[in-house]
Amino acid sequence: MNFSYLTRRALVTIPLLLGVSLILFFVLHLAPGGPTDVYADNPSVSPAALENLKRELGLDQPLPLQYVRWLAAFARGEWGFSIRSGQPVLETALERVVPTLFLGGTSFVLALLLAIPLGIFSALKRYSATDYVFTFVSFLGISMPIFWLALMLQALFAVNLRWLPSAGLETIGDGGFLDRLRHLILPASILAVANIASWGRFVRSSMLDVLGLDYIRTARAKGLSERLVTYRHGFRNALIPVVTIIALDFAGILSGAVITETIFAWPGMGRLFIEAMNGRDYPVLMALLMIGSVALVFTNLLTDLVYSLIDPRIRYE
Amino acid sequence: MGILARYSLRGLKMLGPIILLCGITAAQDKGGTLTVGLSYDLDTLDPYATGFLTDVSSTFLEPLIAPDENARYVPAMATEVPTQANRGIRLTEGGKKMIVTYKLRPGIKWADGEPVTSADVKFTWEAIKDPKYLGPEKDGTDEIEKIETPNPLTAVIYYNQVYPGFKSALFGYGILPKHVLEGKDLNKDPFWDKPFGAGPFKVTEFKRGQYVILDRNPNYYRKDDKGTNLPYLDRIIFKIIPNTNTIVTQLKSGEIQFAYSIPFTLAPSVDNVPGIKVIKAKTLRFMHLTYNHKNEFLKDLNVRKAIAFAVDRDTINKSLGNYMTPINTFAVTSFAFSSKNPPTYKFNREAAKKLLNTAGYKLGGDGIFAKDGKRLSLKFMTQAGRTEYETAQQVIIAQLKAIGIETVVDNKSGAALSDARRKGGYDLWYSGWITPADAIESYISFYNTKGFNNGSGYSNPKVDDLLEKAASTFDPLLINSYMTQVQKLVLNDLASLPLFESASVIAVTEKLQNFKPNPTNQTNFRDVSAWWLKP
Amino acid sequence: MNNPTLEFKSSKPRDESFLARAVRRFRKHRLAQFGLVMLMVLGLAAIFAPIISSYTFDGQDSALLGQPTAPNFKHLLGTDQLGRDNFTRILHGARVSLLVGLSSALIATFLGTLIGALAGFYGAWVDSVLMRFTDVVLSIPILPLVIALSGFLRPSLPLLVLIIGGLGWMGTARLVRSQFLSLRNTDYVEASKALGGSNSRIMFRHILPNAIGPIVVSTTLAVGGAIILESALSFFGLGVQPPTPTWGNLLTGSSDFLETAPWLAAFPGLFILITVLSVNFLGDGLRDALDPRL
């Protein structure tokens, strides 16, 4: 990896983002219904008022023109105003980014801390009782839809035991660190479950692949300690596929966890997206999608960097 | 005229607005803090711009007159409800135009201490009417010619037509403060982050996606019988909880103690929560099965009638826990003009099949009727993800199958649903409407040939004419007579099949005093000033 | 880190055919066989659902309307709030769920492996084009896309499979690519090239088997993922339309009855668990059977 490679990659992102924005813009606008439909169930809204609204929002213009206008404004940093709330889009999005990162980041770290040791352990003790228990629990985690698990844990910890709040970002009027932490426990754990299970499987499988290789046998034969073999030689090489999958899931954090956010009344990006989608709030939708895309592009770059760090055999020309 | 069931929109799994109150006892005799949550992600506090109901804004904006628990108008900031008898309504130019006069109570103040005057009434009209203001709730603004303010307590409103629906229009959501908003861009003004009015509460904080905190307005004008200043409550907090299962969980955990429009399927889970009572409240909402008159099968009255005979309301109701009341007309029983003996279609499968035979359909080998080689198969739409609607739809599908009509489910949500509804993108459509206390303008939007909510293609010039007449008279006897004829025609034509008068299931803490459910679209929070929590 | 040398030759005698060896290894894997049998049982149950159960999946019992009934002798797994037999609905639900789960996972694996292998093997502009394309698809969040599409396209069964499979291959593609990236410069591959091995032979015969581990894992996870994704879609009312049951929409529909009728959620959940576990065991067995290094 060198500087010119990085520059080239960075330059490639521009047409990439343009392409993504073009696709998304047209998919969103071609979906039936528009922002004014939000009011259409209301008989006291006059068609004239809706026409006026459409004109003011520029929705009466041809679609390609709308796209060019949006693009020009977006590139200048003018993200416009939300059609639903009248709030500046940038402000609306930023308000939601923080809780999303807070929830997504916590669950990400939690999943990472549990999945890697569990996967390694499971691989080392392959076909042992522990391995089977872990396998079973992993797939239990994967088989359970998030909403179901969420509702069950809410009932247990908030209703029966009363240890934790059932939903929300913070207790209104408190909002201290500990209070937020208490609100975070349930949604972060639930969000982590699926990741722990799937990452754990990947770590286990990669470790098995690597541990079966000759150089590991050689390392063992050389009399290196089992610990050193496992962690120095085995794990590092097992990381590549794991990094790939984890990076994918990491990029997904910014688009939010719609179901978890809905059930836990968490004010994140996912919920905002669904709301904006249902109301066809185009400025907000495009902003959210572009934030997601940019995040993804950068995670990709980062992933490739990490590849070349952990495996010198990977070269980028 | 006012706003109809907006909450059929934007639903994920939120199934209608659910409002929750959480009581914490205050030191004083009658008071307390209510933590209130909403089942929808409130977009803006501006009631003229929101795509949702006006639960929150009802607590801080005060109207001139407001519907009470029986959907009858009572005075709020005005001293009396204008009528022809009290000369508040005067018809002019030979009955072509009208003048409405409101007298404001003296001494009313905005939450910031400034006096409320008739100039504020005039300002509200001007601000909402302004084409630069994008809020779409402009109903009742074009009907006004001018507003005169001969003195600070008198507003004289000149309508360019006779407009009996004026009470539910324009000023119904409350008067806006001129001294704060004049000259501002109402669409984007930061006022809406912390709005106030002359209502019992004022907004202290609005955190989007999370909550709205409202504190007691010390300048509120009303007092109780003993002369104590209202409201009793110190604070109301609306918490935004977009999932109904979570709402029930919060009721159980005590994090909230009040919820309305609980889905019928969830109501049994709330029944046994200690300290919570479940109220089945009457609403102005009616459920209907609407036919698309442009459909090649449904164009035929016999097919529409066959479907009407095939539907067994009692079974549908039973599947939803019997929370609704079967009706035979679209005018709910709260309205005086609700017809006692409209044309009815009592559940009768044989009659249904006979009608299909009469219409030239033959029962095919697959159990489905067909005519000219075309199977009687219909696209059936309701709101996706709304359990109550989907359950009823399932039962209707089975009932239609039993007489040999096939239905294919095509459910939608959000803007796609509104789009399909408005353009008639369905053959059959099961849904509900909630009307304001003055419902006739709403009926026009459903059944008039050009009605804004008439996507079904139904058209009957006689109905158009009679509704128009009913909407331009104050005479209850005349309204009664016109509406009886309209109901007869609409049901003879089977524009749509009225099924139920729907109830709202409200779960409320036993500690909450003076709470009366409001059946109109102005929400249960129309009058919160007398509420208080027992310690 | 010490630079490992990789070897790719089989430690087993060469005279045994690839297939025979795979079968022999697979037969030693008890759990894999159990998984295969379970999947076949589920598949047959799904196919013969109308024969196995005397009820129809949309047949409502008006006597039982209103509230779900608990499991009893007449209705082994109880009924839902419309008096429909839960066992029958789960059997019929297996049709959609197994189909969606298995076929979309296979589509995703096929697409992902192909694209990843091409990108990783050829590198340079092929890699750039394919990976940027992957990025574009990745940048489109699946749930919002389906919500947008659902307006004009009803999520019919083949469409659902195509959407879930067509938007689920990127992980596999990047996995396979990363394996190829790390293997294509090894002496072994260089040697094969020098010996005149065709590119496709080197790719699919020599390099791909070394990536079999992660591929199998991502396929088995994708089966469960697809079934759960269908459930998530029905959470938003965008899944397979009622009255057709799927394990996903049976679960979603049970959410209002978690307290009053917990069995409504438990049984479809159990079937999903059995399925993904079976697929996983089967995958473990296949991996052991196919991996050239073991």
Side-chain angles (χ1 to χ4, degrees):
Chain A
M1 171 107 36
N2 53 35
F3 183 73
S4 85
Y5 175 77
L6 275 181
T7 322
R8 250 188 312 127
R9 277 292 297 268
L11 284 177
V12 168
T13 55
I14 295 171
L16 169 69
L17 289 176
L18 272 177
V20 171
S21 72
L22 190 71
I23 295 175
L24 292 173
F25 190 89
F26 282 90
V27 165
L28 289 180
H29 283 76
L30 288 177
T36 55
D37 276 314
V38 171
Y39 308 105
D41 271 5
N42 180 350
S44 54
V45 169
S46 71
L50 290 185
E51 282 312 309
N52 179 37
L53 185 62
K54 270 189 189 161
R55 204 167 42 247
E56 288 292 321
L57 296 173
L59 296 172
D60 54 343
Q61 303 291 325
L63 211 48
L65 185 64
Q66 283 187 49
Y67 174 72
V68 172
R69 279 187 181 172
W70 169 82
L71 192 65
F74 196 81
R76 282 199 306 271
E78 289 164 23
W79 292 18
F81 289 84
S82 160
I83 297 173
R84 295 170 64 236
S85 68
Q87 290 283 103
V89 169
L90 191 62
E91 200 176 295
T92 309
L94 283 181
E95 255 177 12
R96 302 296 185 110
V97 166
V98 176
T100 289
L101 283 178
F102 190 44
L103 174 61
T106 312
S107 91
F108 185 82
V109 172
L110 193 67
L112 210 56
L113 289 180
L114 285 168
I116 291 179
L118 281 174
I120 294 176
F121 190 75
S122 209
L124 292 178
K125 312 267 174 197
R126 194 186 187 195
Y127 299 143
S128 68
T130 327
D131 181 29
Y132 283 127
V133 168
F134 174 62
T135 302
F136 183 79
V137 173
S138 294
F139 282 94
L140 197 64
I142 293 166
S143 313
M144 269 185 299
I146 280 188
F147 68 86
W148 191 77
L149 188 64
L151 295 174
M152 296 311 277
L153 290 188
Q154 275 180 339
L156 179 63
F157 288 104
V159 179
N160 292 334
L161 299 171
R162 306 225 169 183
W163 289 352
L164 295 169
S166 62
L169 177 69
E170 60 196 23
T171 308
I172 295 159
D174 184 336
F177 180 70
L178 276 179
D179 176 64
R180 286 204 169 192
L181 213 56
R182 273 164 45 80
H183 281 82
L184 189 63
I185 294 175
L186 281 182
S189 314
I190 282 162
L191 209 51
V193 165
N195 282 346
I196 295 173
S198 88
W199 298 352
R201 298 310 295 169
F202 277 107
V203 172
R204 177 182 179 274
S205 143
S206 290
M207 279 302 282
L208 284 178
D209 277 356
V210 173
L211 289 176
L213 293 179
D214 285 350
Y215 78 91
I216 293 283
R217 290 188 212 133
T218 315
R220 281 199 182 118
K222 278 199 298 191
L224 293 177
S225 79
E226 194 59 24
R227 177 179 287 256
L228 195 68
V229 171
T230 308
Y231 296 102
R232 181 79 193 273
H233 298 248
F235 179 59
R236 198 157 172 184
N237 285 294
L239 266 180
I240 291 188
V242 176
V243 166
T244 306
I245 291 303
I246 290 179
L248 280 185
D249 291 334
F250 181 75
I253 287 183
L254 261 185
S255 45
V258 184
I259 294 179
T260 312
E261 287 176 5
T262 306
I263 293 181
F264 286 97
W266 195 269
M269 309 263 282
R271 235 174 81 198
L272 181 63
F273 191 97
I274 293 290
E275 282 297 311
M277 190 69 222
N278 274 330
R280 300 283 188 271
D281 194 343
Y282 297 132
V284 173
L285 285 174
M286 287 307 293
L288 292 183
L289 288 172
M290 292 321 289
I291 291 175
S293 300
V294 170
L296 189 103
V297 167
F298 281 98
T299 338
N300 283 346
L301 259 175
L302 210 65
T303 317
D304 283 346
L305 265 173
V306 174
Y307 281 164
S308 67
L309 282 181
I310 54 177
D311 187 347
R313 282 170 306 175
I314 293 176
R315 297 191 294 262
Y316 297 97
E317 296 95 37
Chain B
M1 172 155 50
I3 161 176
L4 282 193
R6 291 187 177 186
Y7 48 84
S8 62
L9 291 168
R10 300 189 172 202
L12 295 187
K13 185 79 177 174
M14 36 188 85
L15 320 176
I18 297 215
I19 312 299
L20 316 138
L21 307 182
C22 170
I24 300 164
T25 317
Q28 71 187 76
D29 222 16
K30 291 178 177 177
T33 294
L34 293 163
T35 305
V36 183
L38 301 166
S39 80
Y40 51 88
D41 222 330
L42 188 63
D43 45 4
T44 165
L45 290 173
D46 177 355
Y48 295 95
T50 182
F52 294 106
L53 289 169
T54 54
D55 299 286
V56 182
S57 59
S58 294
T59 63
F60 66 82
L61 286 183
E62 192 76 353
L64 297 168
I65 53 175
D68 68 0
E69 68 267 24
N70 299 315
R72 284 193 202 100
Y73 276 90
V74 293
M77 288 205 290
T79 51
E80 55 187 3
V81 178
T83 60
Q84 280 173 299
N86 66 22
R87 302 279 297 146
I89 301 173
R90 283 170 295 154
L91 301 189
T92 56
E93 297 187 22
K96 283 201 190 110
K97 295 184 176 184
M98 72 175 197
I99 301 169
V100 174
T101 308
Y102 289 102
K103 297 259 188 217
L104 299 181
R105 293 173 206 249
I108 303 182
K109 285 178 180 161
W110 295 106
D112 65 356
E114 294 290 315
V116 176
T117 69
S118 52
D120 293 305
V121 177
K122 187 176 178 186
F123 168 75
T124 303
W125 169 59
E126 287 167 345
I128 305 300
K129 184 185 162 73
D130 187 348
K132 288 204 191 81
Y133 174 67
L134 296 180
E137 184 65 49
K138 288 173 187 276
D139 180 58
T141 55
D142 286 342
E143 287 82 352
I144 295 175
E145 231 166 45
K146 62 175 175 178
I147 295 184
E148 280 175 2
T149 51
N151 64 58
L153 294 182
T154 309
V156 186
I157 304 174
Y158 291 80
Y159 285 90
N160 57 20
Q161 55 183 265
V162 176
Y163 186 41
F166 74 97
K167 283 180 280 196
S168 299
L170 186 57
F171 303 120
Y173 296 126
I175 304 299
L176 302 174
K178 179 182 181 183
H179 68 285
V180 190
L181 287 171
E182 192 169 32
K184 301 274 176 62
D185 177 3
L186 212 54
N187 298 305
K188 293 162 189 169
D189 198 79
F191 172 79
W192 293 116
D193 291 336
K194 229 185 231 192
F196 65 87
F201 292 87
K202 59 181 192 259
V203 175
T204 308
E205 193 187 4
F206 175 24
K207 272 246 174 146
R208 273 162 230 277
Q210 294 190 63
Y211 54 81
V212 190
I213 301 178
L214 296 113
D215 282 311
R216 189 172 180 276
N217 168 12
N219 292 316
Y220 189 56
Y221 64 96
R222 269 198 265 185
K223 297 182 186 340
D224 68 7
D225 301 340
K226 290 174 191 148
T228 313
N229 282 327
L230 291 173
Y232 294 129
L233 290 172
D234 302 305
R235 178 176 259 203
I236 299 184
I237 301 171
F238 287 87
K239 256 165 103 177
I240 294 169
I241 305 168
N243 180 277
T244 44
N245 292 104
T246 308
I247 280 164
V248 171
T249 304
Q250 295 231 323
L251 277 170
K252 287 180 191 161
S253 67
E255 287 164 279
I256 53 174
Q257 291 168 326
F258 184 113
Y260 85 75
S261 283
I262 292 188
F264 301 142
T265 38
L266 269 174
S269 329
V270 191
D271 259 341
N272 315 316
V273 181
I276 299 281
K277 58 181 173 189
V278 175
I279 302 169
K280 185 176 138 184
K282 216 176 155 114
T283 69
L284 299 187
R285 184 209 300 252
F286 70 99
M287 309 304 299
H288 58 91
L289 181 69
T290 289
Y291 306 101
N292 188 339
H293 295 253
K294 290 168 274 187
N295 177 276
E296 56 174 324
F297 302 117
L298 295 172
K299 266 193 278 195
D300 185 345
L301 178 62
N302 282 320
V303 178
R304 301 203 295 274
K305 274 189 179 166
I307 291 173
F309 277 118
V311 172
D312 177 10
R313 293 174 174 79
D314 292 333
T315 308
I316 303 170
N317 201 15
K318 194 181 160 201
S319 76
L320 289 169
N322 287 323
Y323 284 98
M324 302 190 288
T325 314
I327 46 167
N328 290 312
T329 172
F330 57 84
V332 297
T333 49
S334 301
F335 296 127
F337 53 73
S338 175
S339 187
K340 301 286 174 297
N341 47 1
T344 52
Y345 305 87
K346 204 167 169 293
F347 174 53
N348 183 342
R349 281 191 181 141
E350 288 320 304
K353 286 182 190 165
K354 208 186 250 171
L355 275 162
L356 289 177
N357 278 322
T358 315
Y361 288 87
K362 294 273 173 300
L363 197 58
D366 56 353
I368 302 298
F369 276 97
K371 185 180 175 180
D372 308 329
K374 281 184 201 150
R375 293 171 77 242
L376 187 36
S377 175
L378 299 167
K379 212 161 66 178
F380 193 171
M381 176 175 87
T382 191
Q383 185 179 349
R386 193 163 178 172
T387 322
E388 274 166 46
Y389 285 18
E390 287 182 334
T391 305
Q393 184 191 35
Q394 294 295 303
V395 181
I396 296 174
I397 288 173
Q399 292 176 349
L400 294 182
K401 197 177 167 190
I403 64 152
I405 295 179
E406 182 187 72
T407 43
V408 180
V409 175
D410 184 26
N411 293 344
K412 296 185 164 79
S413 64
L417 177 74
S418 309
D419 188 65
R421 184 181 57 66
R422 213 158 29 86
K423 294 179 181 156
Y426 57 85
D427 298 335
L428 288 174
W429 169 47
Y430 176 79
S431 189
W433 287 114
I434 183 162
T435 69
D438 290 311
I440 293 172
E441 298 281 349
S442 302
Y443 299 142
I444 291 180
S445 86
F446 309 147
Y447 303 120
N448 184 289
T449 306
K450 289 183 182 141
F452 187 51
N453 284 297
N454 182 359
S456 74
Y458 171 70
S459 172
N460 184 337
K462 275 189 208 152
V463 171
D464 294 356
D465 182 51
L466 285 164
L467 278 172
E468 211 54 59
K469 281 183 182 155
S472 46
T473 176
F474 285 98
D475 184 341
L477 285 176
L478 271 177
I479 292 177
N480 222 322
S481 141
Y482 293 140
M483 284 311 296
T484 307
Q485 293 176 66
V486 169
Q487 289 171 72
K488 195 174 164 194
L489 286 169
V490 165
L491 283 151
N492 272 332
D493 294 344
L494 277 170
S496 78
L497 182 68
L499 295 174
F500 302 101
E501 187 172 318
S502 189
S504 170
V505 176
I506 305 175
V508 54
T509 169
E510 284 161 0
K511 290 177 184 157
L512 187 66
Q513 307 298 307
N514 291 339
F515 163 65
K516 293 181 196 115
N518 191 305
T520 72
N521 62 338
Q522 296 230 356
T523 83
N524 289 306
F525 296 89
R526 182 62 278 166
D527 185 11
V528 295
S529 62
W531 295 8
W532 58 282
L533 285 162
K534 256 190 193 164
Chain C
M1 124 167 220
N2 73 337
N3 207 352
T5 52
L6 297 173
E7 282 188 36
F8 296 92
K9 62 172 186 283
S10 162
S11 51
K12 293 278 177 277
R14 214 57 186 116
D15 53 339
E16 188 181 20
S17 82
F18 179 73
L19 189 69
R21 187 188 63 188
V23 171
R24 183 173 53 77
R25 284 186 181 173
F26 187 78
R27 289 186 58 177
K28 280 205 308 205
H29 206 294
R30 293 270 152 158
L31 273 171
Q33 292 166 41
F34 169 77
L36 186 63
V37 170
M38 278 313 293
L39 284 178
M40 282 162 67
V41 168
L42 283 173
L44 290 174
I47 293 168
F48 295 109
I51 299 171
I52 297 171
S53 163
S54 54
Y55 298 98
T56 57
F57 69 87
D58 60 349
Q60 299 168 11
D61 185 340
S62 57
L64 300 176
L65 277 181
Q67 276 297 309
T69 43
N72 55 55
F73 285 113
K74 245 181 110 188
H75 298 283
L76 288 177
L77 303 184
T79 66
D80 66 5
Q81 76 275 20
L82 294 177
R84 297 180 293 197
D85 183 61
N86 205 19
F87 177 63
T88 312
R89 288 180 66 73
I90 288 175
L91 283 184
H92 280 267
R95 292 179 165 193
V96 177
S97 291
L98 287 179
L99 193 73
V100 167
L102 296 174
S103 44
S104 59
L106 288 178
I107 289 179
T109 304
F110 175 75
L111 282 175
T113 307
L114 189 69
I115 291 174
L118 290 174
F121 186 78
Y122 288 104
W125 65 269
V126 179
D127 182 40
S128 286
V129 169
L130 287 177
M131 282 300 110
R132 280 340 85 175
F133 173 65
T134 310
D135 289 348
V136 171
V137 183
L138 262 177
S139 314
I140 303 169
I142 181 163
L143 211 52
L145 181 76
V146 177
I147 292 172
L149 288 177
S150 73
F152 39 123
L153 297 170
R154 283 262 46 94
S156 67
L157 204 52
L159 188 69
L160 207 63
V161 169
L162 276 181
I163 290 178
I164 297 178
L167 294 177
W169 53 267
M170 295 82 73
T172 316
R174 308 191 89 204
L175 269 179
V176 173
R177 170 181 174 264
S178 75
Q179 293 285 315
F180 270 67
L181 273 181
S182 99
L183 295 176
R184 69 172 167 150
N185 294 325
T186 54
D187 299 342
Y188 171 71
V189 173
E190 297 297 340
S192 303
K193 277 184 187 164
L195 289 174
S198 75
N199 280 344
S200 65
R201 188 176 163 80
I202 296 172
M203 264 197 281
F204 296 106
R205 200 60 209 270
H206 297 306
I207 305 184
L208 190 62
N210 293 286
I212 200 85
I215 294 176
V216 165
V217 175
S218 64
T219 310
T220 54
L221 290 174
V223 174
I227 295 175
I228 293 300
L229 184 60
E230 197 276 318
S231 163
L233 290 178
S234 60
F235 182 83
F236 294 103
L238 301 167
V240 172
Q241 296 279 315
T244 306
T246 70
W247 292 343
N249 70 22
L250 286 174
L251 265 177
T252 312
S254 73
S255 66
D256 284 357
F257 304 98
L258 278 187
E259 192 191 346
T260 44
W263 60 90
L264 280 185
F267 292 118
L270 192 66
F271 276 84
I272 296 178
L273 177 63
I274 292 172
T275 306
V276 293
L277 271 178
S278 304
V279 171
N280 171 63
F281 290 141
L282 181 65
D284 265 1
L286 281 179
R287 183 193 122 113
D288 284 2
L290 300 176
D291 195 325
R293 289 165 303 184
L294 295 173

